[in-house]
Amino acid sequence: VLPLATAQPSLDLLAIAARLPQPETGIGLRSPQEAHLRFGARWRVLRSRAFGGGEGLARLALSAEFAGEAQDWPLHPALLDMATGWAMPLVPGYAADHLWVPLSYARVQVWQALPADVLSWVRLAPGAKDGEARFDITLAAPDGTVCVEIAGFAMHRLEGGLTLTPPDPRTVTFDAVAEAPG
């Protein structure tokens, strides 16, 4: 971890949006990964998305009931998760019949905490092989001020899918907890 030595950048959101088709809009748009995973209410943050030419732009916002959490989490888990994973259709040949899981970030630069309303500019990055995708992602405040830059975000396609069976609540046991001295 090193302090950032460069000035905080800003995005020209109008120029990015002008390169893309009209966005799909709605409250809590479904992520392609929801074909495989059930995200909770906090994760229903996708408000608009547009794809074109190897890039995409999305607006994500925590719902009113969760917006205050952005003050408690510098990188709110739901915003960060969806802001990095919403653009799977950019992957050549992508189909929602496989679950893709995150592998790594090559570099993450954080200038400021994510606000409750954020824009995610995703670019398909070179260097991916079959069954893998790489993205460069910039997360910005609605005014274009860059909050987080991610380079080389890698995701991997699971061939066999993910099968998790919920436990039978009648078989769940807990370890004994010894009383700690006062």
Side-chain angles (χ1 to χ4, degrees), residues 141-164:
D143 67 358
T145 302
V146 173
C147 303
V148 178
E149 282 197 283
I150 300 166
F153 173 53
M155 295 187 78
H156 179 73
R157 181 182 63 220
L158 290 182
E159 292 303 327
L162 180 66
T163 55
L164 299 174

Side-chain angles (χ1 to χ4, degrees), residues 9-29:
S10 185
L11 290 180
D12 184 347
L13 295 169
L14 292 175
I16 296 167
R19 294 192 298 265
L20 300 170
Q22 272 303 104
E24 173 187 11
T25 61
I27 302 297
L29 296 173

Side-chain angles (χ1 to χ4, degrees), residues 15-16 19-20 50-57 86-87 90 121-124:
I16 296 167
R19 294 192 298 265
L20 300 170
F51 302 97
E55 68 179 334
L57 184 64
W86 69 271
L90 289 174
W121 178 38
V122 177
R123 284 93 59 213
L124 196 58

Side-chain angles (χ1 to χ4, degrees), residues 60-62 67 70-71 73-74 76 79 112-119 139-142 145 147:
L60 303 98
L62 291 168
Q71 299 169 19
W73 295 86
H76 192 282
L79 286 174
Q112 70 181 50
L114 294 176
D117 191 333
V118 67
L119 289 133
L139 307 179
T145 302
C147 303

Side-chain angles (χ1 to χ4, degrees), residues 40-44 47 61-70 72 76 116:
R42 278 179 178 80
W43 266 250
R44 298 310 296 254
R47 302 292 186 252
L62 291 168
S63 64
E65 68 182 299
F66 303 119
E69 294 177 353
D72 301 328
H76 192 282

